[in-house]
Amino acid sequence: MYKHILIPIDESALSMRVIERGVELARAFGARASFLYLQPDAQDIIDGDAGLLHAMAPALFARKYLWADGYVEAKARAWAQMNGVEADFIGGVSRGKVHEEIVATAAARAADLVVIGSHGRTTRLQKLLDSVTVKLILNSPLPVFVAETGVAPQTARDRLIARFREEHAAWVALTDRLVDALAADEPRIDAALMDDTLDFLARFSSEAHGPKEARLLAALEAGGAAAGLATIEAQHDEEPRRFAELQAAWRRRGDAGIAPARAAAMAWQDFIVAHVRDENRLLLLRADDALSEAGWARLGQEIDGTERPAQREARDDEFRRLFARFRAGEA
């Protein structure tokens, strides 16, 4: 029915859910997807509320404005890749009315459906009619599908599944950047950036994502719902060996050259994409069916007890800084 879906996105938490819904639709229709990210104009940032944010909280300003484009692009591409959807990314600076820019981009790219979210900041009619989503609905010659609203996930189930999926996208996205960087001519490869990326991936798996997966599997086993998940468990056992091979190949580049490191990185990429795809389609779906809301709440308490919001924020900032460095190297 639809062949090309345009998905406008931004750096908000809502955007990740819009990416998921848009990719689900593209996969269902056998369509390709184009993600559109419009960065605010620099002068608008300086003149607007962001100027105060820059003065009062430079780190938060950087997270929201300076590191956003590479981070958003990587997550979108990774989610499409995990779901077997052909996708591209369109980045630009917003210089006019956003809904008109979305319509113009859809026409230029021959898209036949727009999938967008609504932040739902207010219920006042006059403010609602000022929103990009409603203006797009009223003015777009193409069908517009409002995939999500800005209501944050309320249940423990929604919150945890969103966190797992976000981390899956981040994991694949950073791995993709690593593989792309290693494909460059050897003199152009930033060795320090490679070292930092490998270090981050190792800590991400062992300290952040891995323990969450282990707790989720334990919750399913306790409820007698872990049957048929042997593939996931085998992948967990295999993951450290696969990553150690990548680290070793990178360390040996001085003697063996860069080719073995490239091959090991691509093998790691294939493994991680398959692993997170299985987790999304097997592990999370099984947990969704098997765990009660009370079970999700207990799992959330266990996870929150070992990973505080400040830790997640620091890891997210480090992740975004790595993407900013990759983006700077492409310039």
Side-chain angles (χ1 to χ4, degrees), residues 112-152:
D112 48 15
L113 176 67
V114 178
V115 174
I116 195 168
S118 174
H119 287 278
R121 294 187 179 96
T122 179
T123 58
R124 292 180 180 274
L125 182 60
Q126 62 269 34
K127 291 187 178 181
L128 177 64
L129 292 176
D130 193 43
S131 75
V132 171
T133 300
V134 174
K135 285 185 176 181
L136 183 62
I137 292 171
L138 294 175
N139 293 280
S140 173
L142 300 176
V144 177
F145 180 79
V146 181
E148 283 285 349
T149 65
V151 179

Side-chain angles (χ1 to χ4, degrees), residues 31-63:
R32 62 191 181 94
S34 289
F35 300 104
L36 173 63
Y37 177 85
L38 295 173
Q39 180 85 357
D41 181 82
Q43 191 60 48
D44 289 343
I45 292 175
I46 294 171
D47 294 341
D49 292 341
L52 179 61
L53 183 64
H54 180 266
M56 301 297 293
L60 182 58
F61 175 86
R63 187 183 313 127

